[in-house]
Amino acid sequence: MFGFFKKREPDVQKVDLAAVNNREKAEALHRAGLLQKLFMRPLKFGGDEHPLNTIFVPPAVVKQKVDIDEQVIEPLIEAAKVTKYSVKPEYEGASVVPTSLTITVSDPETYKFPIAIWGSAIDRAVEASDRVYAAREALYSQHFGAIDGDVQKLMNLTGVWPGGCLVQIHAARHQLWVSSSFGLTNPDMPARTRTEQYAVEQDSQGRATRYSMRLVGRPPRAVPADWAGYGYEILLLTREKGYWPLGFLNWAVQAEILNDMDLRRRIHKYGAMTVEDVSIGEGKSGDFLIAPIQQFAPASIALPNGSMELLVATLITRPQMQYGIEKGGPALLAELDQTGHGQISQTPG
């Protein structure tokens, strides 16, 4: 866990953090290079070197917190989105090494950044993921139908979106197929890693035979504290099952996780938005309108870790795309409603 973001010396893995039950032991491990000193409230944010502001944690945790402070929180402060900063450590047994840290910045906006370090905090993170997965699956089953059959994992997001996938649901009572992301609202999102040096090896017939990549740490993007992960899942609604919707979802998920598209905020700002020339496989591309779901399910649903909005991408024609650019996304959405098919995508020709 500690060394996921950087190479560790072998001895660091052998430290029994539960046995570090006094400050003297923590300082001895610090002198040995096995633990590092961390100021909970950074000096640059008004903290001091007082023992009450000082804890000892594995080196990778220091880097993780410093990256969050400097790359995420400091820009929020500079943009006047937050003015208050606090850190809450949690402990287990007699250990003076926290099992987790939760950074909260607030006023006027609120953001939280949890860091699980060891012990029960790791177990709770796994349990939280299980609860969210089960709740989301139940909600999809309630409004659309059961998730049956295979799910699609995105190989180049292995280790970046570990609990995420794409699903296709036969919503028989609506006479629809629902293709959807399933995991953008996971508790471990926004992503805390990214990929570098991604490569695919192919055989003589063009079939993938090996995937390789390098995972590196990154601080999670700031999202409001009441959002579940990125705050949304994105869907396509079609009358027939097809694989082309997965092509769009492949693009949309990567645009969010790898390129910080911040789709939920954009939809809140514009009401609906268009995207142009998205690859949908087999050398084809399409234009899409993205907007909150208008029927079949509530636009916003509560999950155990926050709110999930359902956004629907609808395949549109180039004239409709031009209409959306000129009149705005909400006007195009109203136009689609008048045609009778609303947010249900027609099969591309």
Side-chain angles (χ1 to χ4, degrees), residues 159-186:
V160 178
W161 194 37
C165 61
L166 308 180
V167 300
Q168 291 190 299
I169 302 168
H170 187 205
R173 62 182 177 275
H174 304 309
Q175 298 182 319
L176 291 173
W177 278 89
V178 178
S179 303
S180 178
S181 63
F182 198 78
L184 291 176
T185 51
N186 284 351

Side-chain angles (χ1 to χ4, degrees), residues 211-233:
Y211 297 88
S212 63
M213 71 191 76
R214 179 172 178 265
L215 285 177
V216 296
R218 57 161 287 182
R221 197 183 79 210
V223 299
D226 60 348
W227 287 14
Y230 288 104
Y232 73 94
E233 300 289 346

Side-chain angles (χ1 to χ4, degrees), residues 107-148:
D107 195 12
E109 299 178 6
T110 301
Y111 303 87
K112 290 188 177 183
F113 304 90
I115 302 175
I117 302 174
W118 70 279
S120 61
I122 306 297
D123 296 334
R124 288 197 302 272
V126 173
E127 292 166 0
S129 292
D130 291 343
R131 286 196 302 273
V132 170
Y133 188 99
R136 187 175 56 235
E137 184 176 26
L139 288 164
Y140 271 51
S141 180
Q142 174 187 350
H143 296 293
F144 304 123
I147 299 175
D148 294 324

Side-chain angles (χ1 to χ4, degrees), residues 53-111:
N53 191 45
T54 306
I55 56 176
F56 295 89
V57 294
V61 176
V62 174
K63 182 182 187 311
Q64 191 175 356
K65 184 176 181 300
V66 169
D67 285 348
I68 292 171
D69 287 337
E70 295 183 350
Q71 298 180 38
V72 184
I73 294 176
E74 192 166 355
L76 292 173
I77 294 172
E78 292 173 350
K81 293 184 176 181
V82 298
T83 57
K84 296 179 180 178
Y85 180 104
S86 67
V87 178
K88 180 182 178 181
E90 292 190 1
Y91 295 92
E92 187 171 304
S95 178
V96 298
V97 179
T99 59
S100 69
L101 299 173
T102 301
I103 308 169
T104 302
V105 289
S106 59
D107 195 12
E109 299 178 6
T110 301
Y111 303 87

Side-chain angles (χ1 to χ4, degrees), residues 42-58:
L43 302 183
K44 66 191 309 181
F45 294 167
D48 55 32
E49 298 187 27
H50 192 280
L52 291 178
N53 191 45
T54 306
I55 56 176
F56 295 89
V57 294

